[in-house]
Amino acid sequence: MIVSELVVGVWQYMFDVAGLGLGFAVALLFAAVTLDNRIVGGSLVSFAVYAAVHFVYQVLHFTDSAADRMGGVLILEFLLAVGLLPLSHRLKQRETRAPARPSAAAPGAFDRR
């Protein structure tokens, strides 16, 4: 999804939609780097809404083969975003199951000198 939005954003750099695509690419990249379940989930939901609305717009306003290809890409992006949503829930479960590591500044932390 990140790569496709970067390509679309750069390809349509002269249109307002390019900023939207590049913004989504940055948000999805940030979610992929941080792996915070709320950021990942929020990015995926917002991207899925965007892909669905953009698909409907393409279907209603364009009929050429380029629009057909774009519609196919948008459907795949929507399905990918929705399919990845359960994984964002697993990120939360992983965070809650991870044992806490004592920090050096925490009281009772082990002294390794």
Side-chain angles (χ1 to χ4, degrees):
M1 291 182 298
I2 296 166
V3 171
S4 69
E5 283 310 304
L6 282 173
V7 169
V8 170
V10 170
W11 178 55
Q12 295 182 345
Y13 68 93
M14 74 233 27
F15 303 108
D16 287 338
V17 77
L20 179 65
L22 293 173
F24 270 121
V26 169
L28 291 166
L29 182 61
F30 182 72
V33 169
T34 62
L35 290 179
D36 180 278
N37 68 307
R38 292 171 293 178
I39 294 171
V40 171
S43 296
L44 290 172
V45 168
S46 61
F47 186 80
V49 170
Y50 155 74
V53 171
H54 195 180
F55 171 76
V56 171
Y57 178 82
Q58 291 286 330
V59 168
L60 294 178
H61 291 89
F62 301 102
T63 57
D64 61 355
S65 62
D68 292 340
R69 287 191 300 270
M70 178 61 110
V73 169
L74 290 167
I75 285 291
L76 289 175
E77 289 180 338
F78 172 80
L79 293 173
L80 182 59
V82 170
L84 288 173
L85 274 172
L87 295 179
S88 69
H89 179 69
R90 286 186 178 182
L91 288 172
K92 183 177 182 178
Q93 289 176 344
R94 188 183 73 178
E95 289 172 3
T96 58
R97 280 192 247 152
R101 292 187 224 159
S103 67
F110 297 101
D111 187 12
R112 297 186 183 194
R113 290 188 227 170

